[in-house]
Amino acid sequence: MSPHVLILGGTAEARRLAAELTARPGVRVTTSLAGRVSRPGSLPGEVRIGGFGGAAGLADWLRGQRVSALVDATHPFAASITANAARAAAATGVPAVVLRRPGWRPGPGDRWHAVASLDEAADVLPGLGRRVFLTTGRLGLAAFAHLTHLHFVVRSVEPPEPPMPPDTHVLLARGPFTPADEAALLREHRVDVLVTKDSGGDATSAKLTAARQLGLPVVIVRRPPLPAGVTEVPDVAGALERLHLGAP
Ligand SMILES: NC(=O)c1ccc[n+]([C@@H]2O[C@H](COP(=O)([O-])OP(=O)(O)OC[C@H]3O[C@@H](n4cnc5c(N)ncnc54)[C@H](OP(=O)(O)O)[C@@H]3O)[C@@H](O)[C@H]2O)c1
């Protein structure tokens, strides 16, 4: 029977992995998307969209579609689907790997404040600045909604949803961004503090370089921990090695 790989997607790494795997003859590749982004762009291989209905629903899908390997290439902050994937893989015996790009590391000159959650980020913000560049995603703004005396510049791919802080300026944009553009944006909006999740990767790290150049503090939300016992790889090459599917 030909191998069937299910990629839990929503990241650039998932897209690259799908391209690599579809180049291998005889491999069936399905990417699963949550359906949060209205125009996700075309993906190599098959695509399915929407939740599975928890770990049990995902386990049913793995069995029903005869999946031979599962790659959880979801965003490092997508903790529910990662927990479900670990449970479904354990329940079905399907070999699974988590592809998670490494987190960012502070360098010389960085003024980072690591926090455990968006709520904790909101707690420390008033002590750090009054004009905030917030790039934590359009769904997490409720944590900052009570900060009525701060000005927020929020950047997201899709329009953010309320509740959100009353004094909010929304910028709709999708990375990658350059350090020069990010520095210009920070200056234009007279930003004095940044808030970001530790997403990792190159596509959105330019804001950290710009913050360092301008001497601005950064509140960085730490990643949720991975479920116990999962196998983690840092990149597409690592996932391919684990899948033992050979060269194209
Ligand atoms: N969280 C972020 O900061 C972030 C940033 C960029 C991209 N993304 C991407 O956006 C998607 C949703 O992220 P999230 O943080 O909302 O996830 P989440 O909180 O971990 O997942 C919530 C529910 O959404 C469904 N789901 C999530 N990812 C799915 C996928 N790839 N395929 C099918 N169903 C999925 C699952 O529903 P059921 O229980 O019904 O199966 C899951 O229980 C993920 O694909 C992720 O890679 C997230």
Side-chain angles (χ1 to χ4, degrees):
M1 200 177 60
S2 58
H4 180 193
V5 181
L6 174 63
I7 303 170
L8 300 174
T11 58
E13 289 77 11
R15 182 179 292 276
R16 283 205 294 277
L17 181 63
E20 287 278 351
L21 287 173
T22 48
R24 286 160 163 76
V27 179
R28 182 179 166 201
V29 181
T30 304
T31 299
S32 174
L33 299 174
R36 305 272 195 279
V37 177
S38 49
R39 285 179 295 129
S42 73
L43 273 162
E46 298 172 38
V47 177
R48 68 160 299 288
I49 295 182
F52 294 92
L58 177 53
D60 288 345
W61 204 93
L62 296 175
R63 289 190 198 97
Q65 297 293 319
R66 299 181 182 282
V67 171
S68 47
L70 171 64
V71 181
D72 172 5
T74 56
H75 191 269
F77 282 81
S80 302
I81 187 73
T82 291
N84 291 348
R87 293 221 301 277
T92 55
V94 170
V97 62
V98 179
L99 164 50
R100 226 166 63 138
R101 63 180 94 123
W104 291 314
R105 293 276 165 267
D110 279 328
R111 297 169 58 200
W112 286 13
H113 300 259
V115 294
S117 64
L118 293 177
D119 288 337
E120 213 179 289
D123 287 346
V124 301
L125 260 185
L128 293 171
R130 303 193 71 76
R131 299 182 63 86
V132 185
F133 184 37
L134 191 63
T135 61
T136 49
R138 70 191 169 106
L139 299 176
L141 297 188
F144 304 93
H146 62 288
L147 296 174
T148 52
H149 56 301
L150 302 187
H151 175 72
F152 285 84
V153 178
V154 170
R155 184 172 65 197
S156 56
V157 176
E158 306 256 323
E161 286 169 21
M164 65 177 89
D167 187 4
T168 295
H169 179 86
V170 176
L171 301 171
L172 297 183
R174 187 194 292 267
F177 306 100
T178 66
D181 287 345
E182 297 290 57
L185 185 151
L186 295 174
R187 282 200 192 93
E188 181 191 341
H189 292 275
R190 292 179 286 120
V191 166
D192 50 21
V193 57
L194 268 68
V195 186
T196 180
K197 292 175 178 171
D198 181 13
S199 299
D202 298 334
T204 57
S205 62
K207 62 193 166 197
L208 300 172
T209 310
R212 183 182 312 136
Q213 285 165 359
L214 299 179
L216 300 183
V218 177
V219 178
I220 187 147
V221 184
R222 278 189 226 104
R223 296 171 168 201
L226 281 174
V230 299
T231 302
E232 184 184 5
V233 293
D235 51 24
V236 169
L240 290 170
E241 200 181 310
R242 283 276 169 178
L243 292 170
H244 303 300
L245 289 175

